[in-house]
Amino acid sequence: MSITNTPTSNDACLSIVHSLMCHRQGGESEAFSKRAIESLVKKLKEKKDELDSLITAITTNGAHPSKCVTIQRTLDGRLQVAGRKGFPHVIYARLWRWPDLHKNELKHIKCCQFAFDLKCDYVCVNPYHYERVVSPGIDLSGLSLTGSVPGSSLIVKDECDFDSPQSLPSIESGHSIQTIQHPPSSSRPPLTEPFAPPNLLPPAEASTSASSSAFPALAPGSGPPDYWCSIAYFEMDVQVGETFKVPSSCPIVTVDGYVDPSGGDRFCLGQLSNVHRTEAIERARLHIGKGVQLECKGEGDVWVRCLSDHAVFVQSYYLDREAGRAPGDAVHKIYPSAYIKVFDLRQCHRQMQQQAATAQAAAAAQAAAVAGNIPGPGSVGGIAPAISLSAAAGIGVDDLRRLCILRMSFVKGWGPDYPRQSIKETPCWIEIHLHRALQLLDEVLHTMPIADPQPLD
């Protein structure tokens, strides 16, 4: 469409949406794209100059200079569209520029005054105010960003031959969880060679982005724990057998489906008995096979290698963030032979510090609101409405503990792509408690104690 035929901010929303839809890149469904564009156009209807800037930027593919196009920043920085949450600048950059975009690949241009990384009260979502780069030190080896259909490589619906998944529900259904696949990388280290340590972000070279700047040094008073993790095995919602503790002297542990005695660096699930085991669970257990290898690197980063002939499905807040999703918004399918980082200790430490501080500040602001002293926009990151205060003050110790836990299902997936909506409906899965992270959490809570969540009346 030539620029002479493009709408302006004075035209009806429907006309503007139709025009902008013509320029989408096809990585998202038509229904999701339309909802996302409609939502943005409605937000900008009262800011005509910004709406005109958006129209100019999109319809000319960035050929003409354009101003910032801003929406209000939410409490957690993410925008919800059609039941899915994601970073707003990433959502619209995927829609109109790079359908296979990874969240850590965006860097704002110098003239952008409201870039996401600048932490302003408003966020610029103009796709042409960002450049695509790969941040140094971010491991992308296990995440597929290419496919025969743009964007299709990230969303999958298969799990294994004997368990056909349900069809993907309509975007209108409100489900926010997506299954993100992590196929094996040709560059992964072979099994016979020692694993190379992951690249860490040096303080001076981390990134220009505030959100991915250097993590604080981890130098708390307590020493490393005797056990780096503990693994509990579940069938449906019932724990089977004793929790298996992995000593720090064994940085690599294998969890498999065989019947050998467990000990040291190997947890064998095949020898665990359960009087309530169903035929379906028994059938799934037969496919665990060689299982997975968990590796603790450095002070507490965790990597996973899938040794099984079938994929494993992982709940990982680290992978959620790397994929531009809100924590808990995705299930990650790790393919056979894939080797991928699933936990970053420094990121977790920073996140628990931020959430504890936010909960403390929000609880104080909430108390002030109850007392009649309504906080202004400058408090708690500019959240004045009671609903936002309530959400922030609702962060409890259990929420912070979840940052230190990984969950992994063998063979069967869960979420809206599958007949099982929760990992507790899968036949065989494990929960991994990371002791160094839990140790750091104890220290954070000693310096910033948070009370149990109290809802705002």
Side-chain angles (χ1 to χ4, degrees):
M1 183 179 291
S2 69
I3 191 165
T4 56
N5 296 325
T6 57
T8 70
S9 58
N10 294 319
D11 290 308
C13 286
L14 190 63
S15 300
I16 299 173
V17 170
H18 176 75
S19 174
L20 297 178
M21 281 285 287
C22 293
H23 294 269
R24 66 191 183 93
Q25 295 299 304
E28 297 285 2
S29 69
E30 183 175 356
F32 177 84
S33 301
K34 188 174 181 181
R35 288 282 291 276
I37 295 172
E38 283 176 345
S39 172
L40 180 57
V41 170
K42 288 177 182 176
K43 286 183 173 76
L44 298 174
K45 246 319 190 177
E46 301 303 317
K47 299 189 287 185
K48 293 184 180 297
D49 57 334
E50 293 189 20
L51 182 52
D52 281 327
S53 285
L54 175 70
I55 294 169
T56 298
I58 302 307
T59 58
T60 66
N61 295 323
H64 295 267
S66 53
K67 300 177 182 177
C68 284
V69 177
T70 62
I71 60 174
Q72 188 155 13
R73 181 184 291 270
T74 59
L75 177 62
D76 67 353
R78 291 168 173 79
L79 177 69
Q80 180 159 322
V81 177
R84 281 169 47 187
K85 293 185 77 175
F87 294 110
H89 63 313
V90 175
I91 289 175
Y92 293 106
R94 281 177 181 155
L95 265 183
W96 284 310
R97 295 195 71 183
W98 306 289
D100 60 351
L101 179 70
H102 183 272
K103 181 256 299 186
N104 288 97
E105 294 180 315
L106 281 185
K107 176 183 177 183
H108 65 272
I109 62 177
K110 290 182 179 180
C111 69
C112 186
Q113 298 177 320
F114 295 92
F116 181 83
D117 296 332
L118 299 181
K119 306 292 185 184
C120 302
D121 289 342
Y122 287 84
V123 178
C124 178
V125 296
N126 185 338
Y128 292 94
H129 275 204
Y130 295 89
E131 298 172 338
R132 188 175 188 179
V133 296
V134 177
S135 301
I138 299 296
D139 179 82
L140 301 179
S141 61
L143 183 61
S144 172
L145 294 177
T146 59
S148 57
V149 179
S152 65
S153 62
L154 290 182
I155 308 301
V156 295
K157 294 188 288 182
D158 61 303
E159 57 185 315
C160 65
D161 294 341
F162 62 90
D163 183 30
S164 299
Q166 304 294 298
S167 59
L168 191 65
S170 163
I171 203 72
E172 304 295 329
S173 64
H175 289 296
S176 60
I177 295 178
Q178 293 291 323
T179 307
I180 299 176
Q181 65 176 335
H182 301 268
S185 166
S186 59
S187 62
R188 70 184 185 280
L191 281 169
T192 54
E193 293 183 7
F195 299 137
N199 294 325
L200 294 179
L201 296 177
E205 302 172 9
S207 170
T208 55
S209 105
S211 62
S212 59
S213 60
F215 293 102
L218 299 180
S222 58
D226 294 334
Y227 299 91
W228 71 265
C229 77
S230 55
I231 307 171
Y233 170 65
F234 293 82
E235 293 176 358
M236 308 295 277
D237 60 351
V238 176
Q239 182 174 348
V240 177
E242 299 294 323
T243 299
F244 183 80
K245 292 186 176 181
V246 184
S248 294
S249 58
C250 298
I252 300 176
V253 60
T254 301
V255 183
D256 60 41
Y258 300 127
V259 295
D260 300 318
S262 297
D265 63 353
R266 189 176 177 199
F267 185 19
C268 296
L269 306 179
Q271 46 91 23
L272 298 176
S273 60
N274 177 11
V275 295
H276 302 294
R277 184 172 293 152
T278 65
E279 185 180 342
I281 293 174
E282 194 69 72
R283 206 163 52 239
R285 279 168 51 86
L286 293 174
H287 292 270
I288 295 174
K290 295 180 181 178
V292 295
Q293 213 172 53
L294 306 172
E295 181 184 9
C296 179
K297 288 188 175 187
E299 194 175 349
D301 293 353
V302 179
W303 291 62
V304 166
R305 186 192 297 277
C306 180
L307 304 177
S308 173
D309 291 335
H310 295 286
V312 293
F313 297 80
V314 179
Q315 184 181 73
S316 161
Y317 287 177
Y318 168 77
L319 287 179
D320 291 344
R321 289 189 170 277
E322 291 302 289
R325 301 283 180 182
D329 266 7
V331 177
H332 300 269
K333 181 176 181 179
I334 312 297
Y335 279 80
S337 300
Y339 175 69
I340 186 170
K341 184 177 183 178
V342 293
F343 180 81
D344 186 288
L345 183 68
R346 289 185 169 190
Q347 184 189 82
C348 175
H349 187 221
R350 184 181 65 177
Q351 192 66 20
M352 63 178 69
Q353 286 179 318
Q354 290 175 341
Q355 288 196 17
T358 299
Q360 267 195 331
Q366 189 183 75
V370 171
N373 301 320
I374 305 298
S379 63
V380 199
I383 50 169
I387 183 68
S388 298
L389 286 174
S390 181
I395 298 172
V397 175
D398 286 345
D399 297 293
L400 297 179
R401 282 182 62 84
R402 288 190 194 101
L403 298 173
C404 312
I405 295 171
L406 296 168
R407 285 177 163 184
M408 184 182 304
S409 170
F410 294 97
V411 183
K412 304 283 188 174
W414 76 95
D417 296 8
Y418 302 101
R420 297 160 295 276
Q421 296 306 301
S422 161
I423 194 172
K424 293 184 178 181
E425 297 173 31
T426 62
C428 40
W429 59 281
I430 55 176
E431 184 171 88
I432 305 151
H433 290 240
L434 303 172
H435 293 187
R436 182 60 178 133
L438 290 166
Q439 192 178 51
L440 291 174
L441 176 58
D442 284 343
E443 293 169 8
V444 167
L445 293 175
H446 274 104
T447 57
M448 280 185 281
I450 60 175
D452 291 331
Q454 298 295 327
L456 189 63
D457 293 334

